[in-house]
Amino acid sequence: AHILEGLGRAPEAQPFLREALAIYQRSYHGDHPATAQAIHNLASLLHDMGRSTEAESVYLQALEMRRRLYPGDNTDVAMTLGDLAVVRRGLGRLKESEASAHEALEMYSRLLPTNHPTLLTAMGNLAGIRLAMGLAAQAEPLYIQVLEARQRESQGDNAYLALSLQNLAFCRIDLGKLEQAESGAREAVAMSRRVFPEGHPRLAVALSPLALALHTQGHGGQAAPLIGEAETMVLKFEPPEGPLPTRVLDAKKRMGEARRTQATTQLTK
């Protein structure tokens, strides 16, 4: 099942995961770690298939069982909380998502060292949810903590460090810290060009905050080619009707809104 899922053939994997879960349920009466893991795996697969509402329900089953198995802090409980937060964010239920992500982070903070990759991922997830809620001032300190931890642990360029730079740049755009956002975004683009092959979608995503920062500062002529370059990269990896990454779309949308506002203002004058 995991091989099929890794190959992008999630619908074919689903019957195997359901059969595995049924075997565990017959073999272990009541709560059991293996059963809880099988439930969690099924929820993850459903989410990958785009069946988010069903995935949420199954994640809740896994969470309830894991809470009964592990009454105190536990990494499996924290993992299910974090994944549940991701699903709820996708469903647009940001307040519930934030609560789950916050509980996951608090639990990981008590269990893991401060530089642990899982803890940093949980911190970044909570920051992203708060940014989506319009709470950029609360997201920025979390993004800074993640970036500084990854800089301390890094032996050079890497994808996670580039992502941290991008996230902080987007956050600072929302806070109006445009010069800092542009500086960080330029660093993210330069690193992404060194880390990823030419034309890679991850490079396209890195271009987005730089384009948005430049456009917001009134440098539309510099920003437009960057978004065009990002779209071209993505379309090489996606079918023409496929979705562009969220952040490329977001940057393009916000630039378009700014242009329309500017045009309306000029007409009014």
Side-chain angles (χ1 to χ4, degrees):
H2 292 300
I3 293 173
L4 289 170
E5 186 177 3
L7 292 171
R9 293 159 61 183
E12 295 174 62
Q14 185 186 175
F16 293 101
L17 284 182
R18 289 191 182 277
E19 184 179 357
L21 174 57
I23 291 171
Y24 284 129
Q25 288 172 327
R26 290 195 299 270
S27 301
Y28 305 113
H29 298 292
D31 298 337
H32 191 277
T35 305
Q37 184 62 54
I39 296 171
H40 182 103
N41 291 344
L42 177 59
S44 177
L45 181 73
L46 291 168
H47 182 230
D48 289 344
M49 292 170 64
R51 294 163 60 178
S52 297
T53 301
E54 190 175 353
E56 181 188 22
S57 175
V58 179
Y59 270 133
L60 284 171
Q61 292 177 46
L63 180 61
E64 289 166 2
M65 185 176 291
R66 283 178 161 168
R67 286 194 191 278
R68 291 192 297 269
L69 287 165
Y70 314 111
D73 292 337
N74 179 270
T75 53
D76 285 345
V77 175
M79 177 174 63
T80 302
L81 281 165
D83 288 348
L84 182 61
V86 172
V87 170
R88 286 173 165 171
R89 178 179 180 179
L91 290 169
R93 304 210 322 262
L94 295 178
K95 189 172 182 180
E96 293 173 78
S97 175
E98 195 272 347
S100 298
H102 185 262
E103 186 178 357
L105 177 58
E106 289 292 303
M107 194 172 291
Y108 279 133
S109 297
R110 293 189 291 269
L111 292 166
L112 302 174
T114 56
N115 61 344
H116 195 284
T118 300
L119 175 61
L120 297 180
T121 297
M123 196 174 293
N125 288 343
L126 178 58
I129 294 164
R130 287 180 173 172
L131 186 61
M133 295 173 73
L135 303 174
Q138 294 182 33
E140 185 186 27
L142 295 172
Y143 279 138
I144 290 172
Q145 287 183 61
V146 174
L147 176 60
E148 290 177 347
R150 286 180 170 159
Q151 286 173 329
R152 286 193 299 270
E153 296 299 312
S154 175
Q155 300 300 313
D157 297 338
N158 65 71
Y160 291 110
L161 187 53
L163 176 62
S164 294
L165 287 163
Q166 293 167 37
N167 288 339
L168 183 56
F170 266 112
C171 182
R172 284 176 166 166
I173 289 169
D174 282 1
L175 289 169
K177 299 178 179 180
L178 300 178
E179 291 185 1
Q180 289 176 278
E182 180 187 344
S183 176
R186 286 190 183 280
E187 188 176 352
V189 169
M191 187 175 295
S192 296
R193 290 194 189 279
R194 294 190 296 267
V195 170
F196 300 110
E198 187 62 34
H200 196 280
R202 291 284 190 91
L203 177 55
V205 176
L207 289 166
S208 304
L210 178 56
L212 187 56
L214 288 168
H215 184 84
T216 307
Q217 292 179 89
H219 306 310
Q222 297 178 48
L226 296 175
I227 284 294
E229 183 183 357
E231 289 182 316
T232 300
M233 289 179 192
V234 173
L235 292 174
K236 287 180 180 178
F237 284 80
E238 295 272 5
E241 68 277 8
L244 292 170
T246 303
R247 285 192 158 172
V248 177
L249 282 174
D250 180 59
K252 185 179 179 183
K253 177 182 176 182
R254 290 166 71 172
M255 287 167 59
E257 289 171 350
R259 282 195 295 269
R260 285 190 292 274
T261 300
Q262 185 179 33
T264 302
T265 302
Q266 290 173 345
L267 284 172
T268 303
K269 290 180 179 179

